[in-house]
Amino acid sequence: MTKSVRHSLHFLWCVPRSRSTAFEKMMVNSGQFNVIGEPFIDIYKQGMLSSHDVRITQRNFNQVFDSLSQNSLLQPVFVKDMAYHVTPFISDSQILSAQHTFLIRDPKLSIPSLFKMRENFHENETGFTGQSTLFKRIYTLTGNKPFIVDAEQLIRSPIKTVGRYFDSIKHVMPKDVLDWHPGSRDEWKERESWHIDAINSSGFVDTKRDVKTEPLPSRIAQIIQKNMVPYNYMWEQLSQQKLDVS
């Protein structure tokens, strides 16, 4: 079985509304990486949500991935994206050429927040099935379980959680990395409405106000329940990870 090795191309695979954009800002603040947010989102939309030619979509995906790999030869690259954006396209060799970590959040929090932003979201866009599928595939290929961060633990214990994250990717956690300046990023211009909390943030804070508190439609409640299965799988892996660390 192939052993995983240290790479300078780092992926954080997320679900929507999991505080991943604040995490992205934190990684920018570290000053250690060329940080790229969601480079595969448009490719996913072309390939999976339209009649776009699948071969062209795969070629576009490969071109973007190759560009990330080339950039990582110059300096460490950190990429934040949704796991479901890449599961239809990413190859075994591409998986093995990078280092992978995951950010999870309870569906009872992330899905109501997604519903608040887009009431007619597609079930695939919750992201949990894609996330657990990619995790299992990476584990099978490498023989190692990728490191997992839980969004709520990130808020409750940012120093400990981020410290363990930097340890997992073999980088030193910089001093003051958890204190950044409010502001947007150029690549967010087309989707700033999704990132208001992150744009206004200067650190990891509780943003449960982004979750709808009124009764949810039965469809949303059913989607939450359905996604508890892949989420619980990821939570079990995180629980085992904490045992391994302790």
Side-chain angles (χ1 to χ4, degrees):
M1 187 171 287
T2 305
K3 298 290 185 180
S4 64
V5 296
R6 178 181 175 183
H7 296 283
S8 57
L9 177 56
H10 305 273
F11 286 99
L12 180 70
W13 300 116
C14 315
V15 297
R17 315 308 291 169
S18 59
R19 301 194 173 100
S20 62
T21 309
F23 202 101
E24 179 182 329
K25 285 193 73 173
M26 183 268 292
M27 295 302 285
V28 172
N29 193 45
S30 76
Q32 297 182 0
F33 304 89
N34 177 11
V35 177
I36 301 169
E38 300 189 33
F40 301 113
I41 183 171
D42 290 335
I43 292 170
Y44 172 81
K45 289 178 179 178
Q46 290 171 356
M48 304 305 293
L49 304 180
S50 73
S51 58
H52 200 72
D53 191 305
V54 173
R55 292 171 297 176
I56 295 176
T57 305
Q58 183 67 62
R59 185 183 66 192
N60 292 342
F61 177 89
N62 291 340
Q63 288 175 345
V64 172
F65 196 99
D66 289 346
S67 177
L68 297 172
S69 298
Q70 288 298 315
N71 287 339
S72 72
L73 298 177
L74 303 175
Q75 68 178 113
V77 172
F78 173 87
V79 180
K80 182 270 291 187
D81 212 327
M82 304 300 127
Y84 77 92
H85 287 166
V86 305
T87 49
F89 310 111
I90 193 167
S91 69
D92 289 354
S93 61
Q94 288 167 338
I95 288 175
L96 292 170
S97 70
Q99 185 174 28
H100 307 273
T101 53
F102 287 77
L103 176 62
I104 64 173
R105 192 185 188 194
D106 192 325
K108 293 188 291 293
L109 298 173
S110 65
I111 293 176
S113 178
L114 177 61
F115 177 62
K116 180 180 179 180
M117 295 299 301
R118 180 186 293 155
E119 293 191 356
N120 64 340
F121 68 85
H122 190 279
E123 285 193 35
N124 288 345
E125 294 176 326
T126 62
F128 290 93
T129 298
Q131 194 176 56
S132 63
T133 298
L134 185 59
F135 182 95
K136 293 173 184 178
R137 189 174 167 197
I138 293 168
Y139 181 28
T140 298
L141 285 170
T142 66
N144 294 296
K145 293 181 180 180
F147 189 82
I148 302 172
V149 175
D150 171 66
E152 303 313 304
Q153 291 179 349
L154 181 63
I155 298 302
R156 291 193 300 267
S157 303
I159 295 176
K160 179 186 293 186
T161 304
V162 173
R164 287 179 175 174
Y165 182 83
F166 274 90
D167 287 344
S168 78
I169 62 173
K170 305 294 192 297
H171 281 259
V172 176
M173 176 181 170
K175 182 181 179 181
D176 300 329
V177 71
L178 296 174
D179 301 301
W180 56 82
H181 296 294
S184 187
R185 304 191 67 208
D186 288 343
E187 58 199 76
W188 298 351
K189 287 181 178 178
E190 301 301 321
R191 44 191 167 94
E192 282 192 341
S193 62
W194 286 78
H195 304 320
I196 297 300
D197 284 325
I199 289 170
N200 295 330
S201 71
S202 57
F204 290 116
V205 296
D206 191 348
T207 56
K208 287 191 179 69
R209 64 182 180 276
D210 67 347
V211 177
K212 275 184 172 286
T213 56
E214 62 265 26
L216 295 166
S218 59
R219 168 181 172 263
I220 304 303
Q222 291 170 4
I223 290 174
I224 290 172
Q225 189 60 37
K226 180 179 179 181
N227 280 280
M228 292 304 298
V229 175
Y231 168 74
N232 285 337
Y233 169 81
M234 296 296 290
W235 180 258
E236 289 171 5
Q237 307 311 308
L238 173 60
S239 299
Q240 185 60 53
Q241 170 183 288
K242 290 190 289 185
L243 291 174
D244 292 341
V245 171
S246 59

